[in-house]
RNA sequence: GCCCCCCUAGCUCAACUGGCAGAGCAUCUGACUCUUAAUCAGAGGGUUGAAGGUUCGAGUCCUUCGGGGGGCACCA
């Protein structure tokens, strides 16, 4: 073609594609396309494959052979055995991205994909005419194109749209990743997620599953009479969890603000306000480390049910998860790496103290034995509350062994400042955490609604903690809200990203977050 | 914040103990009307993440920096 292409270096791919844009314009088409009505989704087109039939001379229609059968069908032979006649199939209009291109002289085979699937396109020079053929010469991998054509089968039996009309929708100026290997580099996959979605097997499906899971969670809650609300994400005091917040600033008010680290305190204010079943499903922000299980912004669900308790929340948690699995067409047993997870409800329920004894051989009520064990694990015991020490042991020795799904119930009270104590057992808090393969998925309490106790526990919790710790900032307004009467309540928090990880067999949270936080590209 | 590993063509990857930077895909040119990771013939494409250093000679060794991954720490 033009000799400028060859000598162009690194931009030679783009130069070739811009050259094709010029040709498309010269042929009277818009390289950036326009509205395209009445197209069918490729998935729906594929579902109509049975409508492709073979019509013999007397007009009789024959069904095509089964191309999925074990014995491969020689379709060319089959046709000559049943001929003379011709294939007939429905007219379809489709659009998609060009994934593969196989030009063979005066024929071009394309594979195009939309978000419901892919299909092969047959473009024959004689069949489409000179003008369309010239347009087809301008097709590059990655372009978005459309076709009017007839659904049929090639000689090898592959379901194919035999093009009659060609449409150009959008040019890709950049070459796609390797057509076989796809995008492999993890950094590129995250930075250029749009490419990952197009060209890495299973990525789009995974994120569509995420959408379905989130919708299902809302459906489950709405069906039980919970109402979704939107609390503020900018907080004067970021409370409801122990995590460092992101700090920001409002100019006109000249006010330091914090991005929320939890949804809890505002939802509870709504309970005081008489909203008896509320939830929020939204983003929270924690200025902490990044790991395969932690992204600085992540999606949290918090649910509160007046006149419920942590046991009501266990049933609800099971319903949320079981329904979500159903929503993505999963079985109760889901793959997890080389293992599987059995999500058959009800999930196992074990007390903290039972599990502690089982895994360590030490009774958590036996102070001296606990201290001895802590020392043997090189856990600092000096000047720390015994429950805190116990919990470190629990996290180290017990949590990783929890295959689950398992509800760990009845935690030591002093590590749960927002939780009601078990009636008659003041050192046990009515709390559960749901663990699956060592990962904490959900956390629930019978919520504390005694304002005096809440204030006292806030203060105790605060003693000795640094200013950076958000719990160190008492939310007086929240305590004031409680002074106006919050019903006894069950509250639940679910890490949506982690739930999606489990249900989609993803080992990194960044595989289920479309745009995880990355440093700006160098 | 600490430790380990990675960064080579648009993409996926090679290059021995330091010795001429390569392949496949993609791109360009040519052939081909049922291909399917199409095939065949030819061509072009590189600041080896960046900057310094050691060396006759650095993709390779050393230092610093940038980006990423994993682990630790942090994290109800």
């Amino acid at each position: 073609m033009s000799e400028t292409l060859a000598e162009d270096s690194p931009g030679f791919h783009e130069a070739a594609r811009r050259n094709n844009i010029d040709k498309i314009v010269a042929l009277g088409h818009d390289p950036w396309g326009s509205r395209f009505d009445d197209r069918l989704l490729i998935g729906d087109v594929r579902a109509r494959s049975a409508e492709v039939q073979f019509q013999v001379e007397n007009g009789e229609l024959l069904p095509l052979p089964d191309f999925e059968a074990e014995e491969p069908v020689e379709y060319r032979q089959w046709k000559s055995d049943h001929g003379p006649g011709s294939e007939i199939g429905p007219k379809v209009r489709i659009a998609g991205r060009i994934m593969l291109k196989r030009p063979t002289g005066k024929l071009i085979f394309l594979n195009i994909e939309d978000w419901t699937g892919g299909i092969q396109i047959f473009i024959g020079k004689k069949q489409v005419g000179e003008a369309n053929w010239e347009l087809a010469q301008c097709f590059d991998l990655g372009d978005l194109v459309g076709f009017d054509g007839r659904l049929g089968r090639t000689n090898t039996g592959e379901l194919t749209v035999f093009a009659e009309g060609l449409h150009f929708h959008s040019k890709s100026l950049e070459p796609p990743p390797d057509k076989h290997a796809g995008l492999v580099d993890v950094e590129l996959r995250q930075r250029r997620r749009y490419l990952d979605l197009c060209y890495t097997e299973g990525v789009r499906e995974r994120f569509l599953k995420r959408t379905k899971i989130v919708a299902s969670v809302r459906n489950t809650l709405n069906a039980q009479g919970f109402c979704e609300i939107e609390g503020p994400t900018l907080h004067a005091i970021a409370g409801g969890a122990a995590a460092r917040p992101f700090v920001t600033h409002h100019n006109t008010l000249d006010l330091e603000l914090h991005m929320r680290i939890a949804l809890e305190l505002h939802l509870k204010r709504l309970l005081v306000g008489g909203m008896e079943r509320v939830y929020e499903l939204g983003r929270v922000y924690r200025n902490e480390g990044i790991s395969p299980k932690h992204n600085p912004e992540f999606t949290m669900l918090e649910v509160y049910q007046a006149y419920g308790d942590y046991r009501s929340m266990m049933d609800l948690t099971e319903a949320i998860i079981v329904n979500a699995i159903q929503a993505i067409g999963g079985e109760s047993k889901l793959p997890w790496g080389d293992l599987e997870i059995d999500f058959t409800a009800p999930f196992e329920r074990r007390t903290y103290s039972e599990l502690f004894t089982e895994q360590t051989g030490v009774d958590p009520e036996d102070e001296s034995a606990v201290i001895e064990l802590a020392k043997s694990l090189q856990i600092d015991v000096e000047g720390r509350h015994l429950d805190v020490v116990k919990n470190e042991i629990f996290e180290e020795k017990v949590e990783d062994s929890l295959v689950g799904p398992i509800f760990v119930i009845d935690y030591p009270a002093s590590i749960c400042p927002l939780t009601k104590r078990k009636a008659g057992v003041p050192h046990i808090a009515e709390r559960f955490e749901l663990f699956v393969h060592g990962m904490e998925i959900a956390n629930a309490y019978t919520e504390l609604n005694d304002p005096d106790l809440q204030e006292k526990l806030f203060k105790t919790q605060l003693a000795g903690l640094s200013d950076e710790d958000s719990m160190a900032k008492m939310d007086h307004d929240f305590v004031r809200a409680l002074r106006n009467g919050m019903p006894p309540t069950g509250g639940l928090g679910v890490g949506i990203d982690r739930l999606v990880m489990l249900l989609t067999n993803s080992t990194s949270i960044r595989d289920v977050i479309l745009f995880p936080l990355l440093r700006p590209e160098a």
Side-chain angles (χ1 to χ4, degrees):
Chain A
M1 212 56 43
S2 131
E3 62 277 66
T4 58
L5 296 185
E7 65 201 37
D8 276 343
S9 64
F12 63 97
H13 288 100
E14 179 172 336
R17 284 159 185 266
R18 288 194 183 276
N19 189 29
N20 280 334
I21 289 183
D22 294 343
K23 289 199 246 169
I24 290 165
V25 172
L27 289 166
H29 296 269
D30 183 348
W32 306 106
S34 58
R35 176 167 166 166
F36 194 56
D37 288 330
D38 304 321
R39 87 183 160 106
L40 297 173
L41 293 171
I42 290 172
D44 294 337
V45 170
R46 296 200 72 93
R48 293 178 63 181
S49 61
E51 294 177 37
V52 180
Q53 291 176 300
F54 191 76
Q55 186 166 43
V56 292
E57 259 186 346
N58 64 10
E60 190 189 347
L61 291 170
L62 300 178
L64 267 43
D66 179 10
F67 295 105
E68 307 300 316
E70 305 259 325
E71 295 278 309
V73 182
E74 229 309 329
Y75 187 42
R76 189 197 290 268
Q77 184 64 43
W78 185 94
K79 281 190 285 195
S80 72
D81 289 349
H82 291 80
S86 59
E87 203 181 64
I88 60 163
K91 293 257 186 181
V92 296
R93 160 173 277 203
I94 56 174
R97 190 181 293 276
I98 301 175
M99 307 300 284
L100 293 171
K101 187 167 82 165
R102 293 178 294 282
T104 77
K106 298 183 176 60
L107 284 184
I108 301 171
F109 291 92
L110 299 177
N111 288 83
I112 69 165
E113 259 183 43
D114 68 16
W115 70 337
T116 64
I119 197 163
Q120 176 169 268
I121 309 291
F122 177 107
I123 304 171
K125 184 176 184 183
K126 205 166 76 187
Q127 290 84 341
V128 299
E130 196 65 39
N132 277 326
W133 184 248
E134 285 307 309
L135 180 59
Q137 301 312 301
C138 306
F139 287 1
D140 291 305
L141 293 180
D143 290 353
L144 295 170
V145 293
F147 299 93
D148 290 300
R150 184 179 53 76
L151 189 61
R153 298 274 182 178
T154 56
N155 285 341
T156 55
E158 170 133 358
L159 193 65
T160 300
V161 172
F162 290 83
E164 291 162 8
L166 277 59
H167 305 269
F168 201 86
H169 296 314
S170 191
K171 198 64 178 165
S172 171
L173 292 174
E174 298 191 6
D178 186 286
K179 67 185 179 188
H180 189 52
L183 263 198
V184 171
D185 184 85
V186 177
E187 180 176 355
L188 275 182
R189 289 187 47 206
Q190 292 173 172
R191 284 196 193 282
R192 311 196 64 195
R193 186 65 92 187
Y194 44 91
L195 292 180
D196 193 32
L197 287 161
C198 285
Y199 297 107
T200 310
E201 178 83 27
V203 171
R204 202 161 46 213
E205 290 74 8
R206 191 191 314 129
F207 284 106
L208 291 174
K209 274 186 184 176
R210 180 178 174 129
T211 297
K212 287 180 183 163
I213 289 166
V214 169
S216 163
V217 169
R218 287 198 163 98
N219 289 340
T220 300
L221 290 164
N222 295 343
Q224 296 195 24
F226 288 90
C227 89
E228 180 172 10
I229 65 94
E230 292 158 283
T233 57
L234 296 172
H235 290 186
I237 298 168
R244 284 200 299 250
F246 287 91
V247 180
T248 183
H249 183 261
H250 187 277
N251 288 341
T252 312
L253 297 180
D254 187 20
L255 183 63
E256 181 179 283
L257 290 167
H258 304 99
M259 306 300 291
R260 66 181 175 187
I261 58 172
L263 314 172
E264 176 155 2
L265 300 186
H266 288 88
L267 285 164
K268 285 182 173 172
R269 285 174 171 93
L270 297 178
L271 284 162
V272 173
M275 301 191 74
E276 297 187 2
R277 291 187 175 210
V278 285
Y279 71 95
E280 179 163 9
L281 199 167
R283 210 67 63 82
V284 298
Y285 308 86
R286 296 188 180 177
N287 208 338
E288 308 280 357
I290 295 176
S291 85
K293 289 176 191 165
H294 300 83
N295 192 60
E297 54 177 313
F298 62 100
T299 301
M300 177 103 113
L301 166 72
E302 289 196 29
V303 187
Y304 294 87
Q305 178 181 341
Y307 307 108
D309 69 359
Y310 75 135
R311 292 182 180 276
S312 341
M313 292 299 107
M314 268 188 264
D315 300 335
L316 182 61
T317 304
E318 280 170 355
I320 287 170
I321 293 176
V322 168
N323 290 346
I325 291 169
Q326 208 168 24
I328 57 172
E331 305 290 324
S332 59
K333 287 184 184 171
L334 290 179
W336 182 248
D338 299 332
L339 309 168
E340 59 177 24
I341 311 170
D342 186 352
F343 281 105
T344 306
F347 306 156
E348 197 179 356
R349 303 179 183 195
R350 304 286 302 281
T351 67
Y352 184 93
S353 134
E354 267 169 24
L355 290 165
F356 191 99
T357 308
E358 199 171 283
Q359 289 297 319
T360 66
V362 169
D363 180 354
E365 304 305 319
D366 182 344
E367 278 195 31
S368 57
V370 168
I371 288 171
E372 198 179 314
L373 176 61
K375 283 179 175 163
S376 77
L377 293 168
Q378 282 158 6
I379 292 170
D380 199 11
V381 295
E382 291 307 314
R384 308 177 76 193
H385 194 290
L386 190 66
D387 284 345
V388 175
V389 173
K390 262 189 227 171
N391 203 44
E392 272 194 41
I393 296 174
F394 190 88
E395 280 171 9
E396 186 160 332
K397 301 300 289 183
V398 185
E399 285 189 0
D400 289 348
S401 72
L402 299 174
V403 175
I406 179 171
F407 289 112
V408 178
I409 64 174
D410 296 348
Y411 278 66
S414 54
I415 60 169
C416 313
L418 297 168
T419 312
K420 191 173 272 192
R421 278 71 184 113
K422 214 171 168 69
V425 195
H427 68 286
I428 297 292
E430 292 200 338
R431 171 189 186 186
F432 75 73
E433 289 194 275
L434 175 64
F435 284 92
V436 184
H437 282 286
M439 202 155 49
E440 179 196 332
I441 302 304
N443 188 9
Y445 314 105
T446 302
E447 301 294 342
L448 188 61
N449 61 346
D450 172 345
D452 293 338
L453 184 55
Q454 177 70 80
E455 185 167 13
K456 192 179 133 206
L457 290 176
F458 259 143
K459 281 180 178 157
T460 322
Q461 172 91 0
L462 310 188
L465 291 184
S466 76
D467 258 5
E468 282 205 311
D469 193 317
S470 68
M471 287 298 271
K473 289 172 192 124
M474 161 96 61
D475 192 334
H476 290 286
D477 180 73
F478 171 66
V479 174
R480 184 177 183 183
L482 290 189
R483 289 162 59 86
N484 292 275
M486 185 180 95
T489 295
L492 167 69
V494 178
I496 295 295
D497 311 272
R498 289 181 179 181
L499 178 62
V500 174
M501 284 169 70
L502 284 172
L503 301 192
T504 59
N505 195 11
S506 308
T507 51
S508 170
I509 199 166
R510 273 163 271 148
D511 289 336
V512 300
I513 292 176
L514 282 165
F515 300 103
L517 184 68
L518 293 174
R519 286 187 158 92
E521 209 164 355

